[in-house]
Amino acid sequence: MPFSVQSEQARSLLSLRGLRRAALACSLLAVCASTLAQSFDEEFDDEAKPWQEIAVHLPPAPQQQNLAEFYLSPNATMKAYVDTNSVSIGADKVVRYTVVTRTEGGAVNTLYEGMRCETWEKKTYAFGHPDGSWSRSRRDKWQPIRDMGANRIDGALFKDYFCEGRMIADNENLKSIIGRLKSQTRLDPVRR
């Protein structure tokens, strides 16, 4: 076989091998890029991840000196307070707090609750007793926030202190939220 024919066959064989290698390299590169893109999307795609509530730990019983009164309505038949030492913001984006109400007749109710600004919901975790102990709530399901009536506790806390739209107020700055509760400064002082 003449040298030129052999060399042409060798080049053809080499180019075929090269083409296969190039195709294999491209395939591997595409798989790697796809895996990286998928990983990147999973890290930033919040909608694909289901919301998960964190474990809840009950706070100590509220103390009188830590109670901050908040405005309910001009026709309220009770006074409402938040224990500022109990207010927290969880990694699950739930604002948790102890609320204490006192009626004109002297009845006192203490509840440990959580509020989800994103979904306009609240949940009662436990009821407080005069001796400082807690009883677990039997209605520990998330419920829509109601902002009506004279004693609009949930609506007042949601709109006036904890939430701005569907986000936690003050860019989740707990100190700022507690400061507003202590000074009775609502998010929108005009709204009643």
Side-chain angles (χ1 to χ4, degrees):
M1 207 185 280
F3 179 72
S4 65
V5 172
Q6 280 182 339
S7 114
E8 220 174 280
Q9 286 177 344
R11 272 186 261 162
S12 175
L13 189 58
L14 285 175
S15 68
L16 187 57
R17 281 185 191 158
L19 189 58
R20 285 183 184 157
R21 285 183 182 156
L24 180 61
C26 287
S27 295
L28 286 173
L29 187 59
V31 167
C32 288
S34 170
T35 302
L36 286 173
Q38 183 179 4
S39 173
F40 183 81
D41 286 346
E42 287 173 0
E43 290 177 18
F44 292 101
D45 188 12
D46 292 336
E47 290 183 30
K49 295 177 187 175
W51 177 78
Q52 183 78 27
E53 186 172 13
I54 63 170
V56 175
H57 303 285
L58 297 175
Q63 302 297 311
Q64 183 65 38
Q65 68 269 19
N66 300 324
L67 296 180
E69 185 176 359
F70 62 95
Y71 178 82
L72 295 176
S73 75
N75 303 325
T77 60
M78 67 173 68
K79 293 190 179 239
Y81 309 84
V82 169
D83 175 9
T84 56
N85 282 359
S86 72
V87 181
S88 67
I89 300 172
D92 55 2
K93 305 287 189 204
V94 173
V95 180
R96 292 183 176 84
Y97 54 93
T98 300
V99 66
V100 177
T101 59
R102 290 192 177 115
T103 66
E104 292 173 352
V108 177
N109 287 309
T110 304
L111 301 110
Y112 185 61
E113 298 185 317
M115 190 170 286
R116 289 186 68 198
C117 298
E118 184 180 348
T119 59
W120 295 52
E121 293 177 304
K122 74 122 184 179
K123 180 179 191 177
T124 301
Y125 295 104
F127 297 98
H129 299 287
D131 67 359
S133 65
W134 294 99
S135 293
R136 183 179 170 168
S137 172
R138 292 184 196 155
R139 295 183 60 198
D140 64 349
K141 303 285 183 223
W142 289 100
Q143 300 172 350
I145 291 185
R146 304 208 192 301
D147 185 26
M148 60 182 151
N151 301 317
R152 54 182 278 281
I153 295 168
D154 303 334
L157 288 173
F158 185 92
K159 289 183 175 179
D160 296 340
Y161 295 98
F162 295 151
C163 305
E164 290 181 286
R166 293 188 176 265
M167 295 175 20
I168 297 173
D170 304 328
N171 292 320
E172 300 181 28
N173 184 326
L174 186 59
K175 259 187 178 176
S176 178
I177 292 170
I178 291 171
R180 277 190 296 95
L181 280 164
K182 287 180 176 179
S183 66
Q184 295 186 7
T185 306
R186 298 190 310 270
L187 286 166
D188 183 359
V190 176
R191 183 176 55 215
R192 293 252 174 204

